[in-house]
Amino acid sequence: MAITYSFNFKSYIFPLLLVLLSTHSSATSTSITDRFTQCLNNRADPSFPLNGQLYTPDNSSFPSVLQAYIRNLRFNESTTPKPILIITALHPSHIQAAVVCAKTHRLLMKTRSGGHDYEGLSYVTNSNQPFFVVDMFNLRSINVSIEDETAWVQAGATLGEVYYRIAEKSNSHAFPAGVCPTVGVGGHISGGGYGNLMRKYGLTVDNVVDAQLIDVNGKLLNRKSMGEDLFWAITGGGGVSFGVVVAYKIKLVRVPTTVTVFNVQRTSEQNLSTIAHRWIQVADKLDNDLFLRMTFNVINNTNGEKTIRGLFPTLYLGNSTVLVSLLNKDFPELGVEISDCIEMSWIESVLFYTNFPIGTSTTALLSRTPQRLNPFKIKSDYVKKHYFQTGIRIHI
Ligand SMILES: Cc1cc2nc3c(=O)[nH]c(=O)nc-3n(C[C@H](O)[C@H](O)[C@H](O)COP(=O)(O)OP(=O)(O)OC[C@H]3O[C@@H](n4cnc5c(N)ncnc54)[C@H](O)[C@@H]3O)c2cc1C
Ligand SMILES: *[C@@H]1O[C@H](CO)[C@@H](O)[C@H](O)[C@H]1NC(C)=O
Ligand SMILES: *[C@@H]1O[C@H](CO)[C@@H](O)[C@H](O)[C@H]1NC(C)=O
Ligand SMILES: *[C@@H]1O[C@H](CO)[C@@H](O)[C@H](O)[C@H]1NC(C)=O
Ligand SMILES: *[C@@H]1O[C@H](CO)[C@@H](O)[C@H](O)[C@H]1NC(C)=O
Ligand SMILES: *[C@@H]1O[C@H](CO)[C@@H](O)[C@H](O)[C@H]1NC(C)=O
Ligand SMILES: *[C@@H]1O[C@H](CO)[C@@H](O)[C@H](O)[C@H]1NC(C)=O
């Protein structure tokens, strides 16, 4: 199964919640909030009260709760539309109440897990409609079973936490998902997911076996009760178009106890053009145990002149001896030597790929603070055929 998707064009609202009155003014939104809050408290399961989990803009903690998972600083402006309420759900019944009350009160609902949406769609709206956010960060339990080679992972967990909990129990299991450890499970898996194990194990969603979903009627469903079509949709089609994912059951994959990484760099002066051409020809034909990425940036050379640098971050599921002989055969232009290679465990390679210095404790993967935050604009895509038919030219 290979599911393609696009990060930026997911619809992100329940169709049934779309109907909104354009006449709401800020003067009436206070009473909307009051009536909505009352509905939430009435609906909530008395054993899991909601008070203590509701943040309105007049609450002094509101800015910090909102900002805690803003991962694109373009949407951390005073002019960025703000929700009328944030619900920091502690229990699935809180989400069920939110869905049902949102329908009753015709309010736009946003769901945020890790907050890495490129366009901030989990906490911003482009319309002028009042909206609220269900924040999933408290729902982040991870139960790994090495016996079954599976794990149940709640949507608010981060990829770094998933990787850490797997490695805590086994040094020969892994999960094929994204490279950024602070990305959330909820948005990542529902949208597809790819990472440096994809050549061997496919997309993240190729390794998902079950899910818990709260649908538009507030019903809690699993794969069996939701049916294969809906399960297919929430494993690549963009989850929030269909409901709120509470948890996914993932299938672990096997990795050797020793893997090899390197990150060689080549500038324009070091035959980057030739190497890049060759990469395009061989990257998809190399051994499936080998993931060899190519990225570019502009740097100043030692003479202070601008030049282009190619970076080749690589993960090989095997040792350095085999890796170097493989590259000498299939990609000699890159000129990789044993001294470029570092052997380590898979979990250490996760840190390496995120640019943590060698020797960083794996507990760094449990940190929810990103290494850096920027304002950014990104578009990702999947290439289905070689589009560099005539090759590429490297110049500034
Ligand atoms: C720095 C960075 C690095 C990245 N690296 C990779 C990578 O290596 N590989 C890769 O594949 N992708 C990568 N991505 C993209 C990332 O996988 C997507 O942006 C993903 O949607 C983020 O998920 P999230 O939970 O963190 O984001 P959120 O902003 O919380 O959510 C993203 C979308 O999913 C919806 N959603 C969130 N939680 C749920 C839920 N529980 N149920 C239903 N819908 C939900 C949101 O409403 C929103 O529409 C990266 C993004 C960034 C910013
Ligand atoms: C803010 O909201 C939280 C969660 O509902 C609540 O516990 C806290 O008392 C509120 N703080 C203020 C100052 O209103
Ligand atoms: C987001 O904006 C607020 C308010 O201007 C600011 O205090 C905060 O530092 C910003 N967050 C980041 C990560 O820059
Ligand atoms: C993990 O197990 C605990 C204890 O049984 C349970 O409370 C939690 O909901 C489980 N998490 C998931 C994601 O299944
Ligand atoms: C660049 O490539 C040419 C032809 O393959 C080779 O002769 C030359 O040694 C390479 N230069 C460097 C710096 O690698
Ligand atoms: C390169 O040099 C220019 C000035 O010559 C400087 O402005 C720029 O910041 C430098 N870029 C990098 C990446 O160091
Ligand atoms: C490297 O791996 C190969 C294949 O698994 C094995 O035959 C070889 O002994 C290993 N070499 C070292 C130095 O561990």
Side-chain angles (χ1 to χ4, degrees), residues 140-144 151-155 212 246-248:
R140 55 165 105 156
S141 79
I142 299 170
N143 297 336
V144 176
W152 268 106
V153 179
Q154 281 185 321
Q212 287 174 2
V246 178
Y248 284 107

mmCIF file of all heavy atoms in Angstrom, residues 140-144 151-155 212 246-248, ligand 4:
data_model
loop_
_atom_site.group_PDB
_atom_site.id
_atom_site.type_symbol
_atom_site.label_atom_id
_atom_site.label_comp_id
_atom_site.label_asym_id
_atom_site.label_seq_id
_atom_site.Cartn_x
_atom_site.Cartn_y
_atom_site.Cartn_z
ATOM 1 N N ARG A 140 -0.961 11.201 25.630
ATOM 2 C CA ARG A 140 0.315 10.829 24.997
ATOM 3 C C ARG A 140 0.885 9.524 25.528
ATOM 4 O O ARG A 140 2.094 9.321 25.521
ATOM 5 C CB ARG A 140 1.325 11.947 25.202
ATOM 6 C CG ARG A 140 1.530 12.325 26.658
ATOM 7 C CD ARG A 140 2.780 13.149 26.825
ATOM 8 N NE ARG A 140 2.517 14.544 27.037
ATOM 9 C CZ ARG A 140 3.347 15.384 27.651
ATOM 10 N NH1 ARG A 140 4.501 14.960 28.098
ATOM 11 N NH2 ARG A 140 3.031 16.630 27.824
ATOM 12 N N SER A 141 0.017 8.618 26.001
ATOM 13 C CA SER A 141 0.571 7.356 26.524
ATOM 14 C C SER A 141 1.017 6.458 25.368
ATOM 15 O O SER A 141 0.490 6.524 24.249
ATOM 16 C CB SER A 141 -0.425 6.647 27.440
ATOM 17 O OG SER A 141 -1.386 5.967 26.686
ATOM 18 N N ILE A 142 2.031 5.658 25.651
ATOM 19 C CA ILE A 142 2.617 4.760 24.647
ATOM 20 C C ILE A 142 2.818 3.404 25.309
ATOM 21 O O ILE A 142 3.507 3.318 26.315
ATOM 22 C CB ILE A 142 3.990 5.294 24.162
ATOM 23 C CG1 ILE A 142 3.840 6.668 23.508
ATOM 24 C CG2 ILE A 142 4.663 4.303 23.206
ATOM 25 C CD1 ILE A 142 5.158 7.370 23.217
ATOM 26 N N ASN A 143 2.190 2.365 24.763
ATOM 27 C CA ASN A 143 2.364 1.025 25.324
ATOM 28 C C ASN A 143 2.988 0.112 24.269
ATOM 29 O O ASN A 143 2.333 -0.259 23.303
ATOM 30 C CB ASN A 143 1.014 0.452 25.767
ATOM 31 C CG ASN A 143 0.373 1.273 26.879
ATOM 32 O OD1 ASN A 143 1.062 1.979 27.624
ATOM 33 N ND2 ASN A 143 -0.945 1.203 27.001
ATOM 34 N N VAL A 144 4.241 -0.235 24.487
ATOM 35 C CA VAL A 144 4.980 -1.037 23.507
ATOM 36 C C VAL A 144 4.946 -2.511 23.901
ATOM 37 O O VAL A 144 5.220 -2.848 25.050
ATOM 38 C CB VAL A 144 6.456 -0.577 23.436
ATOM 39 C CG1 VAL A 144 7.268 -1.465 22.503
ATOM 40 C CG2 VAL A 144 6.534 0.885 23.007
ATOM 41 N N ALA A 151 2.652 -1.438 19.042
ATOM 42 C CA ALA A 151 2.511 -0.474 20.134
ATOM 43 C C ALA A 151 1.206 0.293 19.937
ATOM 44 O O ALA A 151 0.811 0.569 18.806
ATOM 45 C CB ALA A 151 3.689 0.494 20.156
ATOM 46 N N TRP A 152 0.531 0.614 21.045
ATOM 47 C CA TRP A 152 -0.591 1.556 21.009
ATOM 48 C C TRP A 152 -0.025 2.909 21.404
ATOM 49 O O TRP A 152 0.653 3.034 22.426
ATOM 50 C CB TRP A 152 -1.686 1.156 21.995
ATOM 51 C CG TRP A 152 -2.738 0.276 21.401
ATOM 52 C CD1 TRP A 152 -2.907 -1.061 21.612
ATOM 53 C CD2 TRP A 152 -3.799 0.694 20.509
ATOM 54 N NE1 TRP A 152 -3.999 -1.508 20.897
ATOM 55 C CE2 TRP A 152 -4.568 -0.455 20.216
ATOM 56 C CE3 TRP A 152 -4.162 1.912 19.923
ATOM 57 C CZ2 TRP A 152 -5.686 -0.416 19.373
ATOM 58 C CZ3 TRP A 152 -5.278 1.949 19.084
ATOM 59 C CH2 TRP A 152 -6.028 0.795 18.814
ATOM 60 N N VAL A 153 -0.287 3.898 20.599
ATOM 61 C CA VAL A 153 0.304 5.213 20.789
ATOM 62 C C VAL A 153 -0.787 6.268 20.722
ATOM 63 O O VAL A 153 -1.513 6.344 19.726
ATOM 64 C CB VAL A 153 1.321 5.489 19.651
ATOM 65 C CG1 VAL A 153 1.936 6.861 19.803
ATOM 66 C CG2 VAL A 153 2.399 4.424 19.623
ATOM 67 N N GLN A 154 -0.913 7.079 21.767
ATOM 68 C CA GLN A 154 -1.937 8.120 21.711
ATOM 69 C C GLN A 154 -1.492 9.280 20.813
ATOM 70 O O GLN A 154 -0.284 9.549 20.650
ATOM 71 C CB GLN A 154 -2.276 8.621 23.110
ATOM 72 C CG GLN A 154 -3.211 7.639 23.833
ATOM 73 C CD GLN A 154 -3.678 8.157 25.173
ATOM 74 O OE1 GLN A 154 -2.911 8.780 25.903
ATOM 75 N NE2 GLN A 154 -4.922 7.880 25.506
ATOM 76 N N ALA A 155 -2.477 9.988 20.270
ATOM 77 C CA ALA A 155 -2.213 11.004 19.240
ATOM 78 C C ALA A 155 -1.328 12.145 19.725
ATOM 79 O O ALA A 155 -0.587 12.739 18.949
ATOM 80 C CB ALA A 155 -3.534 11.564 18.713
ATOM 81 N N GLN A 212 -8.092 4.306 17.220
ATOM 82 C CA GLN A 212 -9.287 4.726 17.958
ATOM 83 C C GLN A 212 -9.640 6.110 17.455
ATOM 84 O O GLN A 212 -8.803 7.019 17.482
ATOM 85 C CB GLN A 212 -8.998 4.820 19.454
ATOM 86 C CG GLN A 212 -8.860 3.482 20.136
ATOM 87 C CD GLN A 212 -8.428 3.651 21.584
ATOM 88 O OE1 GLN A 212 -8.267 4.778 22.074
ATOM 89 N NE2 GLN A 212 -8.251 2.559 22.277
ATOM 90 N N VAL A 246 -7.754 9.316 18.536
ATOM 91 C CA VAL A 246 -7.296 9.267 19.933
ATOM 92 C C VAL A 246 -5.981 8.500 20.010
ATOM 93 O O VAL A 246 -5.063 8.893 20.722
ATOM 94 C CB VAL A 246 -8.359 8.605 20.836
ATOM 95 C CG1 VAL A 246 -7.867 8.522 22.274
ATOM 96 C CG2 VAL A 246 -9.673 9.369 20.747
ATOM 97 N N ALA A 247 -5.887 7.393 19.255
ATOM 98 C CA ALA A 247 -4.668 6.575 19.303
ATOM 99 C C ALA A 247 -4.551 5.735 18.033
ATOM 100 O O ALA A 247 -5.545 5.462 17.363
ATOM 101 C CB ALA A 247 -4.694 5.660 20.523
ATOM 102 N N TYR A 248 -3.321 5.362 17.736
ATOM 103 C CA TYR A 248 -3.050 4.417 16.643
ATOM 104 C C TYR A 248 -2.335 3.195 17.213
ATOM 105 O O TYR A 248 -1.530 3.317 18.150
ATOM 106 C CB TYR A 248 -2.116 5.037 15.595
ATOM 107 C CG TYR A 248 -2.764 6.036 14.664
ATOM 108 C CD1 TYR A 248 -2.506 7.397 14.791
ATOM 109 C CD2 TYR A 248 -3.616 5.612 13.639
ATOM 110 C CE1 TYR A 248 -3.081 8.320 13.915
ATOM 111 C CE2 TYR A 248 -4.199 6.531 12.769
ATOM 112 C CZ TYR A 248 -3.921 7.877 12.912
ATOM 113 O OH TYR A 248 -4.489 8.776 12.047
HETATM 114 C C1 LIG B 4 -1.610 2.031 27.946
HETATM 115 O O1 LIG B 4 -1.916 1.282 29.099
HETATM 116 C C2 LIG B 4 -2.477 2.051 30.162
HETATM 117 C C3 LIG B 4 -2.602 1.134 31.365
HETATM 118 O O2 LIG B 4 -3.264 -0.045 31.022
HETATM 119 C C4 LIG B 4 -3.810 2.648 29.716
HETATM 120 O O3 LIG B 4 -4.348 3.461 30.733
HETATM 121 C C5 LIG B 4 -3.585 3.496 28.467
HETATM 122 O O4 LIG B 4 -4.800 3.995 27.975
HETATM 123 C C6 LIG B 4 -2.887 2.652 27.406
HETATM 124 N N1 LIG B 4 -2.570 3.526 26.274
HETATM 125 C C7 LIG B 4 -2.911 3.256 25.025
HETATM 126 C C8 LIG B 4 -2.465 4.246 23.993
HETATM 127 O O5 LIG B 4 -3.521 2.249 24.710
#
